[in-house]
Amino acid sequence: SDCWALWLRPYSLQERWQPPFWTWPLWPFHYIVGYYVCNYRQRIFGDQASFFCSDTVRYGPTLMQNWVAAHFGRHFVTHKRQVKENIEAAARHAEKIGVKVLCLGALNKAESINGGGLGVVKMLGPRRKLSVIHGNHLTAAAVVEQVHQVFGDRKVKFFLTGASSKVGWAVAQALRDRYGYEILCHSTDPGRRRLFREHGFASAATLSEGSAFSKYWIVGKYDLSVADLIPQNAVAVVFSVPHPLGSRSDVRVIEAGT
């Protein structure tokens, strides 16, 4: 997998990743491999085969590993049951070998798969020794830190999409309360906008309101309309996966927590 990653890297840091032309003929092979790891690898080889260990790092006495779920992104839509079973298998293996903390992160904590991790906790049972966290805290912290590194103590106004999500709401509160940034929170839900106002935030029902408010956006929701309505030459700190600004080469995209 490391060799593939090296071959598929863009040729400069100014380029966004795009699949090389020669990868398309290999699509049928990749599809078969994806179907195998999604449906059969764990069943044949056991719980330890439900993931790939991509990194092993030791911080003093603490051992940390990154386990990569054996799935393509499409499986979280087309094969939800198999994805759920493989995530639970990885958790069982972690419990078995004495892992202390399992951070699900990314799509492994999708509400539609396991309710943000609650399904994994219930599966392990009340006698589990493994602590399961969903990773939203780390994502929010990474976004807040990235924003502050870029903008410092300047008085900047931000338009935040995805503000009603767990991560988005934490980001909004931290940026305002810790660094004093002015935040306009976006949601199409009237109840969510009322919540924003009750907590002292300005709220917007449309992306057009954000365009008029600021050229500095924090994009926390995958919405293709963002690419149409974000101002020309804007700066976007993005933590949505995937991000919707690939078609806007004029926008400076800063990825955070992705």
Side-chain angles (χ1 to χ4, degrees):
S1 61
D2 290 342
C3 292
W4 277 102
L6 289 172
W7 290 344
L8 296 176
R9 286 183 63 187
Y11 291 104
S12 74
L13 295 178
Q14 282 68 46
E15 297 179 59
R16 291 206 55 78
W17 181 86
Q18 292 183 344
F21 72 92
W22 50 265
T23 61
W24 294 108
L26 296 175
W27 170 248
F29 171 73
H30 289 161
Y31 184 89
I32 293 172
V33 172
Y35 190 84
Y36 160 72
V37 297
C38 177
N39 292 278
Y40 297 109
R41 190 169 186 263
Q42 182 268 332
R43 295 182 189 179
I44 296 173
F45 297 105
D47 289 349
Q48 70 273 15
S50 61
F51 62 90
F52 299 96
C53 181
S54 62
D55 293 294
T56 299
V57 182
R58 186 175 290 278
Y59 295 98
T62 304
L63 177 67
M64 186 187 80
Q65 293 184 329
N66 282 331
W67 292 1
V68 180
H71 298 286
F72 290 114
R74 67 175 185 273
H75 293 152
F76 288 81
V77 178
T78 61
H79 294 76
K80 291 183 179 181
R81 179 180 59 81
Q82 292 89 334
V83 168
K84 177 177 179 291
E85 291 174 353
N86 279 334
I87 294 171
E88 291 176 351
R92 283 196 302 269
H93 183 68
E95 173 82 358
K96 180 180 178 181
I97 65 176
V99 172
K100 294 182 178 179
V101 180
L102 178 67
C103 177
L104 295 175
L107 293 175
N108 296 313
K109 60 173 173 43
E111 293 288 337
S112 61
I113 300 295
N114 53 40
L118 289 176
V120 176
V121 172
K122 292 178 180 178
M123 179 276 302
L124 291 172
R127 301 182 66 180
R128 64 182 171 83
K129 298 180 180 179
L130 176 69
S131 296
V132 180
I133 61 176
H134 51 49
N136 285 340
H137 303 91
L138 180 59
T139 301
V143 175
V144 171
E145 182 63 21
Q146 184 69 69
V147 170
H148 188 248
Q149 284 184 5
V150 173
F151 296 96
D153 295 325
R154 295 159 51 193
K155 296 299 181 182
V156 180
K157 299 191 300 183
F158 291 103
F159 177 57
L160 172 61
T161 74
S164 60
S165 68
K166 295 184 182 74
V167 176
W169 187 226
V171 167
Q173 294 178 90
L175 289 177
R176 182 193 64 179
D177 299 342
R178 182 172 298 182
Y179 298 118
Y181 296 125
E182 184 178 351
I183 310 293
L184 175 63
C185 297
H186 170 261
S187 178
T188 57
D189 187 311
R192 296 288 187 179
R193 295 198 300 275
R194 184 169 58 252
L195 175 68
F196 298 154
R197 292 191 294 270
E198 289 173 354
H199 285 80
F201 287 93
S203 65
T206 66
L207 296 177
S208 298
E209 294 176 69
S211 300
F213 179 75
S214 177
K215 70 173 184 177
Y216 300 111
W217 286 33
I218 302 174
V219 181
K221 180 181 180 181
Y222 181 68
D223 184 346
L224 293 176
S225 299
V226 167
D228 297 328
L229 295 171
I230 192 170
Q232 190 79 13
N233 299 316
V235 176
V237 179
V238 180
F239 64 93
S240 70
V241 180
H243 83 70
L245 291 166
S247 62
R248 290 291 300 272
S249 58
D250 63 295
V251 175
R252 182 188 177 192
V253 175
I254 303 170
E255 297 192 26
T258 58

